[in-house]
Amino acid sequence: MNTALRITAFTAGLAAAFGLALGVGHATGSDPAPEPAAHAGHTEHSGHDSGGGAAAEHLPGGLQISERGYTLSVDNPFVTAGSPTDLKFRILGTDGKPVTAYQQQHEKELHLIVAPRDLSTFQHLHPTLAADGTWNAPTAVPAAGEYRVFADFTPAGASEGLTLGADLHAAGDLRPAPLPETGRTVTVDGYTVTLGGDLAPGRSNHLTLNISKDGQPVTDLQPYLGAYGHLVALRAGDLAYLHVHPDTTTPGPEIGFTTTAPSGGSYRLFLDFKHQDTVHTAAFTVTTDGAAPAASATDEPAADHQH
């Protein structure tokens, strides 16, 4: 059973489009995780409905600071590059008060992603929640520049989750640089990860990520947040947030995902996987040509996030 990621209706870019490139991020973790369940069906995080029924346009996640009555409020969006900081924020509910109860999704009540506008790095954080609704995420951004913070969550009692985004400004010596160019194979922490398949505008395609180490396939991946792999895609130019979980449930060496791209453009893909009690992140940039078919009255509403 496939986990399809549908995204449509791009808005005006929040920044100039970035060129084709690739880099590798890294994160570590050692907490044991339970065996993952089959992730064939997940609740979709739908974009904002602008009116017009099934043919209405929908925004990918993370483009808005407020959606469906919920608002992401960052206490202090100004930080210093390279210095440890406690990133504190709240999710304000429809009554304007901080939300204090959430549904657990993939072993956490909220997932926090931090990425710079040039998509050169990637942090997947799991902040702690205080009784008053304040979240705290100790972190440090590596370089000066503009960052985007994505809060991915489902409030208690809600039928679906959503992703809100806010800007984070890092002071320091800013040295803009293009993203590094690369191919379909990257090396991270001694692991070789190869990307197979292509994103295709307007139609569902299967992506595979094959993992090996020292020339041998890795067949004993460990569950991380309830699955053997997590794939986050950020669209170059406006950092629209897309999150899809695998439609395979075996511990490697291949992890499969099903996605649909709405149009031509560059997308930065970040794969999190866990092996030997450590979480690793491999990053790819892929470019798809062409445009998505026009929406019709029979098209299903688009979704930008799947659990």
Side-chain angles (χ1 to χ4, degrees), residues 46 60 89 106 130 137 154 160 207 226:
S46 299
F89 62 95
H106 292 278
T154 303
E160 61 182 4
L207 295 178

Side-chain angles (χ1 to χ4, degrees), residues 40-134:
H42 300 289
T43 302
E44 294 181 349
H45 288 200
S46 299
H48 173 70
D49 190 342
S50 59
E57 294 185 340
H58 292 255
L59 295 178
L63 290 180
Q64 302 182 102
I65 199 170
S66 184
E67 183 180 353
R68 301 207 303 268
Y70 294 92
T71 299
L72 171 59
S73 176
V74 178
D75 282 14
N76 182 10
F78 298 94
V79 299
T80 300
S83 298
T85 184
D86 285 332
L87 183 59
K88 294 184 178 181
F89 62 95
R90 297 169 182 84
I91 304 299
L92 304 181
T94 55
D95 57 0
K97 299 179 180 179
V99 177
T100 58
Y102 297 80
Q103 299 180 39
Q104 191 172 93
Q105 298 287 347
H106 292 278
E107 304 178 0
K108 300 293 180 180
E109 292 182 320
L110 185 144
H111 298 262
L112 190 73
I113 302 297
V114 180
R117 287 282 171 184
D118 65 4
L119 298 176
S120 58
T121 63
F122 173 87
Q123 296 182 60
H124 185 171
L125 308 175
H126 299 110
T128 56
L129 177 64
D132 67 353
T134 299

Side-chain angles (χ1 to χ4, degrees), residues 154-242:
T154 303
S159 60
E160 61 182 4
L162 68 160
T163 303
L164 301 179
D167 288 335
L168 189 67
H169 315 282
D173 184 13
L174 178 59
R175 298 177 181 272
L179 295 175
E181 296 185 2
T182 188
R184 288 299 189 98
T185 297
V186 302
T187 300
V188 53
D189 307 328
Y191 294 85
T192 299
V193 184
T194 301
L195 173 67
D198 293 293
L199 290 174
R203 66 179 186 273
S204 179
N205 263 34
H206 193 63
L207 295 178
T208 61
L209 291 116
N210 197 287
I211 303 170
S212 63
K213 186 176 184 181
D214 299 326
Q216 299 298 318
V218 175
T219 59
D220 57 344
L221 291 174
Q222 295 167 281
Y224 174 56
L225 302 175
Y228 287 118
H230 293 264
L231 187 66
V232 168
L234 298 175
R235 189 175 61 198
D238 61 4
L239 274 65
Y241 175 96
L242 316 168

